[in-house]
Amino acid sequence: MDRRSFLKTSALGGSAAAATTLAAPAYAQGNRTLTMVTSWPRGFAVLDDAATYFNDMVDAMSDGQLTIDKKAPGELVGAFEVFDAVSSGQADLYHSADYYFIGQHPGYAYFTAVPFGGTAQEVTNWYHHGGGHELHTELGEIFNLKSFIAGNSGSQSGGWFRNEINSAADFNGLKFRMPGLGGKVLGELGASVQNIPGGELYQALSSGALDGLEWVGPFADERAGFQEVAKVYYTAGFHEPGSALAAGMNLDVWNELKPAHQAIISNAAMATTHTQLAETLSNNGAALARLQSQGVKTLQFPDDVWDAFGAASKTVMDENMGDELFAKIRTSFEESLAQSSDWLLKSDGFYVEQRNRVLAAG
């Protein structure tokens, strides 16, 4: 495949005018400033935290030779326009969730999360030791991108609802926000699925434009204020068991960087993933207790609803198997899960079960 020809004819970038918007990198006394567009409003817990940490790490590790000018949605482009902006050269890099861009290629779902996919540890295993990063690179090259995982929020909640979910039929007609392939699964169950940027979710839920939504987890959700307009909270979800974020850099800009600066970008992304996951997991418990103290009712979906999620997930995943690269990514991911999950179950999983039993008995 001629990847640049693909790019020119893709939905993302066919416009020749878009290519002419390539922003010249800013230099001063040998230093370089990169423009980074993000999908996160400033101050958003977990997500903007990750983007900010990534910025700070790049600046610190390069001793100020490589700095990032971070743009929130609307400051240069919209939250869901960051992919196009970086691919075409309007910006140098983005920080976002790659499953927002499954319209460009369904394989991007794997670099955030897929239904019944991997935990944060399993995603990291695959990405760094099972070929995931190489596949991310292969996919990104189609769109003139160099891609990295740069964050992971761990297991995301099942979401906020106005009313309890007692059967899969309760999703029929429900106006619900869920991106990625998880959203397509709810669509199979009859939901009216909408993908709305994070900065617009509170208003959509409070106005009734949405009947429910999923965002991240207790720490980020509390900061967003969803507990003020909905009181039913399902704490476990099928859709994002280990949700990664991504940094995507314009490939031409990447190739212009010195090897030392390329290494800084790569290692800042890995440090961001580690730090963000720890931030989220260390804060979720206390945040959940605060939500419950405000009258939030925490629930789990019934088993038959989980069964419906599973059946619909298989349908959605299989629909994309005609795409050769999607099939390659899915096979690699599932092979990695098979190699790691048995040990995790027999070690960490069994240990946690026994720890809870012993401490409860003591």
Side-chain angles (χ1 to χ4, degrees):
M1 174 187 292
D2 182 338
R3 297 187 185 278
R4 297 304 176 92
S5 294
F6 182 98
L7 174 62
K8 289 178 181 178
T9 58
S10 71
L12 144 61
S15 170
T20 66
T21 63
L22 183 62
Y27 291 93
Q29 298 180 341
N31 297 343
R32 182 166 190 167
T33 298
L34 302 172
T35 298
M36 183 170 84
V37 288
T38 78
S39 296
W40 326 121
R42 295 186 184 275
F44 256 44
V46 178
L47 307 174
D48 188 56
D49 290 350
T52 300
Y53 180 86
F54 177 80
N55 286 16
D56 293 345
M57 287 297 294
V58 169
D59 182 76
M61 288 194 290
S62 69
D63 197 21
Q65 293 183 15
L66 192 63
T67 60
I68 293 175
D69 179 17
K70 180 166 71 75
K71 304 289 189 183
E75 294 179 10
L76 184 60
V77 297
F80 294 154
E81 297 168 0
V82 299
F83 183 104
D84 292 22
V86 174
S87 177
S88 67
Q90 186 181 0
D92 297 311
L93 70 160
Y94 68 74
H95 192 268
S96 187
D98 268 355
Y99 71 169
Y100 291 156
F101 314 122
I102 59 173
Q104 304 298 340
H105 194 284
Y108 273 112
Y110 280 92
F111 302 100
T112 302
V114 295
F116 292 92
T119 64
Q121 185 63 61
E122 290 171 321
V123 170
T124 303
N125 294 350
W126 170 66
Y127 196 77
H128 293 295
H129 298 285
H133 178 58
E134 292 76 10
L135 288 166
H136 205 187
T137 297
E138 181 178 349
L139 179 57
E141 286 176 350
I142 298 173
F143 302 97
N144 197 34
L145 296 172
K146 177 68 175 179
S147 302
F148 301 91
I149 280 181
N152 196 306
S153 61
S155 178
Q156 297 207 356
S157 66
W160 295 87
F161 297 79
R162 299 185 185 284
N163 300 299
E164 294 184 20
I165 299 296
N166 296 308
S167 72
D170 290 337
F171 281 99
N172 190 36
L174 199 72
K175 295 176 292 186
F176 199 82
R177 183 267 184 190
M178 181 180 284
L181 297 182
K184 292 185 179 296
V185 169
L186 293 191
E188 289 286 322
L189 301 182
S192 173
V193 180
Q194 302 174 44
N195 192 9
I196 299 174
E200 302 173 19
L201 290 178
Y202 180 93
Q203 178 61 30
L205 187 61
S206 62
S207 70
L210 289 175
D211 298 316
L213 59 84
E214 67 80 40
W215 182 229
V216 180
F219 180 50
D221 293 7
E222 178 191 34
R223 183 91 61 91
F226 300 136
Q227 70 277 10
E228 298 170 5
V229 290
K231 294 297 184 183
V232 178
Y233 191 42
Y234 284 84
T235 54
F238 73 96
H239 57 301
E240 296 186 46
S243 186
L245 302 179
M249 177 172 280
N250 179 278
L251 186 58
D252 298 319
V253 173
W254 169 262
N255 289 333
E256 292 171 359
L257 294 179
K258 297 185 295 187
H261 287 174
Q262 291 179 340
I264 285 170
I265 294 290
S266 177
N267 282 281
M270 286 190 283
T272 300
T273 301
H274 177 77
T275 299
Q276 187 207 15
L277 180 62
E279 177 199 23
T280 306
L281 297 182
S282 66
N283 283 285
N284 273 346
L288 181 63
R290 290 192 297 269
L291 291 174
Q292 290 172 318
S293 72
Q294 297 174 63
V296 172
K297 186 176 183 179
T298 56
L299 299 171
Q300 301 290 5
F301 295 116
D303 286 351
D304 60 339
V305 173
W306 279 94
D307 292 341
F309 290 155
S313 294
K314 185 178 187 308
T315 298
V316 167
M317 300 298 288
D318 290 348
E319 285 175 351
N320 296 297
M321 288 300 285
D323 183 281
E324 182 178 350
L325 184 52
F326 178 90
K328 181 179 179 181
I329 294 169
R330 181 183 182 182
T331 298
S332 171
F333 182 80
E334 292 182 353
E335 286 177 350
S336 179
L337 290 193
Q339 292 169 3
S340 63
S341 62
D342 190 50
W343 170 246
L344 289 173
L345 181 64
K346 289 180 169 63
S347 56
D348 292 32
F350 186 76
Y351 162 73
V352 170
E353 180 183 334
Q354 292 301 315
R355 181 185 66 188
N356 292 345
R357 182 187 66 80
V358 170
L359 293 182

